[in-house]
Amino acid sequence: GAGVSQSPSNKVTEKGKDVELRCDPISGHTALYWYRQSLGQGLEFLIYFQGNSAPDKSGLPSDRFSAERTGGSVSTLTIQRTQQEDSAVYLCASSLVVAGGPGTDTQYFGPGTRLTVL
Amino acid sequence: DQQVKQNSPSLSVQEGRISILNCDYTNSMFDYFLWYKKYPAEGPTFLISISSIKDKNEDGRFTVFLNKSAKHLSLHIVPSQPGDSAVYFCAASEKYNYGQNFVFGPGTRLSVLP
């Protein structure tokens, strides 16, 4: 079916507000990743889901960031009390994680959500 | 401390010539490497990969070379085309540790001049 989709594509919010970003992975992909790309920077890993569980949350920048995934599909990244330094493009990727075989864990990226915190 | 480095933030190449994008890594546990291409306002797209059991992988105009002893890999594009102009990210992972995230480099912006 379709590739990874993310919504909204753009979000402008005021400092201190909460925002929720959504990611719909490719159907059947068990692994889901969140990254962010700040202006002029590379991709910064945030969190990874295998199914509904996130074994490694150490990449989240602060406790204002949280993510969940339900039903092994859609994931939401929530940023509470947004700050200006949270402004970035937030990218979601999914991969088919099965044992063995090259390319099975290649990540397929969504178009991203551009977050601007005023 | 960056585990994956792309020391050239930008590169300009004439159409038809070879583009060489370099990537260095520090984690000796990395054994699977990928290159992604990213156009403005789009997510990165997978380009080519290589596992540590190989030192070269070729796909059309794109060839990736891996030098494990030097912890260095490079992406060669030949001949370069204007449509290749994009940001190229190198990424690495411990492939057989499926709970491990991919580590991306900061990217190199390639401009292919007509």
Side-chain angles (χ1 to χ4, degrees):
Chain A
V4 178
S5 62
Q6 293 185 246
S7 61
S9 55
N10 278 286
K11 176 71 176 178
V12 180
T13 190
E14 293 179 348
K15 177 182 173 181
K17 301 282 190 181
D18 297 351
V19 296
E20 191 173 276
L21 312 179
R22 176 187 169 107
C23 172
D24 280 273
I26 292 173
S27 177
H29 280 193
T30 61
L32 186 148
Y33 308 77
W34 282 99
Y35 297 87
R36 74 176 175 182
Q37 184 177 20
S38 302
L39 187 64
Q41 302 295 315
L43 294 172
E44 175 189 5
F45 170 77
L46 298 179
I47 192 169
Y48 154 87
F49 287 90
Q50 173 59 37
N52 290 336
S53 66
D56 180 9
K57 299 181 181 179
S58 62
L60 294 175
S62 75
D63 58 8
R64 297 185 294 104
F65 286 71
S66 63
E68 65 176 17
R69 189 181 186 195
T70 55
S73 182
V74 173
S75 175
T76 55
L77 176 70
T78 301
I79 309 173
Q80 296 177 309
R81 304 180 304 280
T82 52
Q83 303 294 312
Q84 288 182 329
E85 62 262 27
D86 299 335
S87 296
V89 175
Y90 288 81
L91 289 158
C92 173
S94 70
S95 67
L96 179 62
V97 181
V98 295
T104 56
D105 47 0
T106 299
Q107 294 183 22
Y108 297 86
F109 282 82
T113 294
R114 181 175 296 278
L115 174 66
T116 303
V117 181
L118 301 177
Chain B
D1 184 35
Q2 279 189 332
Q3 295 188 71
V4 177
K5 302 175 184 180
Q6 294 176 257
N7 292 322
S8 298
S10 63
L11 175 68
S12 291
V13 172
Q14 208 68 36
E15 180 179 5
R17 306 295 289 269
I18 185 171
S19 296
I20 300 177
L21 298 128
N22 293 305
C23 177
D24 297 282
Y25 60 97
T26 58
N27 186 345
S28 59
M29 296 300 292
F30 288 147
D31 56 7
Y32 187 54
F33 306 89
L34 308 94
W35 284 93
Y36 284 83
K37 179 169 72 173
K38 184 181 184 303
Y39 292 117
E42 295 182 13
T45 55
F46 170 73
L47 195 57
I48 193 169
S49 65
I50 189 167
S51 72
S52 58
I53 61 172
K54 302 176 74 172
D55 55 17
K56 177 182 175 182
N57 189 25
E58 189 173 355
D59 183 3
R61 296 185 297 112
F62 302 91
T63 303
V64 56
F65 295 91
L66 175 63
N67 182 333
K68 282 188 64 181
S69 61
K71 296 192 181 68
H72 176 83
L73 66 156
S74 61
L75 173 69
H76 292 210
I77 307 172
V78 55
S80 302
Q81 299 174 353
D84 297 329
S85 297
V87 177
Y88 289 79
F89 291 99
C90 170
S93 78
E94 298 173 39
K95 181 181 185 301
Y96 292 103
N97 179 359
Y98 286 104
Q100 184 66 38
N101 58 282
F102 284 75
V103 180
F104 283 78
T108 296
R109 181 177 300 279
L110 173 66
S111 298
V112 180
L113 309 173

